[in-house]
Amino acid sequence: FELTAFMLSVLVVMLVQTYLSAPKAPKPGAEALAGGRIRITKLISVEDKGAPLLQGVDAKLCEAADALPAGAFYGVVGGSRPVVGSTDAGRKTRCQLVAFGGGAAIAAGQPLSVLGTIRGPLAGGAIPDETQWAKDIASAKEQFAAA
């Protein structure tokens, strides 16, 4: 009986280790960047003209040093401020950033780490409305919570 109990416990430990070491499946609706890499760029300019529909939200119109992913993305500014961004369809370095959670204020010269995309561009290059921003922010919060 002792040998059977010992072998059973070894089997359980091996199964748990296998489960914990298995790669996690990505959540539907959000995609990691190519190769699972984080894209880091620098914010060249930051203006307080972003997302006029969003009352009481820290929204900025920004210019980045490098091209940003098309559509909506999520990331971190300055290493501590979670953000959602929406890239300008006509100018890939320009975006609107909406910050949520704590962290330093968004300012020019800070690094922007793009962690992944939330959705592709809107039809016809449309600008996101308040409802779309709310969906994008909720999706980004889910991604940060899952990380």
Side-chain angles (χ1 to χ4, degrees):
F1 176 76
E2 290 178 9
L3 181 61
T4 305
F6 174 73
M7 294 301 288
L8 183 59
S9 64
V10 168
L11 178 63
V12 169
V13 168
M14 289 174 51
L15 287 173
V16 169
Q17 285 179 339
T18 303
Y19 173 76
L20 293 176
S21 66
K24 307 296 183 255
K27 286 195 163 232
E31 302 172 16
L33 296 175
R37 297 178 49 184
I38 297 172
R39 183 183 304 173
I40 300 174
T41 186
K42 188 176 186 179
L43 294 177
I44 297 172
S45 68
V46 176
E47 302 174 28
D48 288 327
K49 298 179 182 176
L53 296 173
L54 299 171
Q55 298 299 321
V57 174
D58 188 10
K60 308 287 184 191
L61 184 60
C62 302
E63 185 80 28
D66 304 305
L68 299 165
F73 60 89
Y74 65 99
V76 177
V77 170
S80 65
R81 188 88 194 250
V83 294
V84 176
S86 179
T87 305
D88 187 327
R91 196 165 160 191
K92 301 295 182 197
T93 58
R94 184 171 213 104
C95 69
Q96 290 189 56
L97 288 180
V98 174
F100 58 92
I106 299 172
Q110 290 180 316
L112 168 62
S113 302
V114 179
L115 304 176
T117 59
I118 296 171
R119 61 165 172 79
L122 296 174
I127 297 171
D129 60 9
E130 190 172 4
T131 303
Q132 185 61 57
W133 273 110
K135 289 178 185 177
D136 292 347
I137 291 169
S139 294
K141 286 180 178 181
E142 286 177 14
Q143 294 305 311
F144 279 107

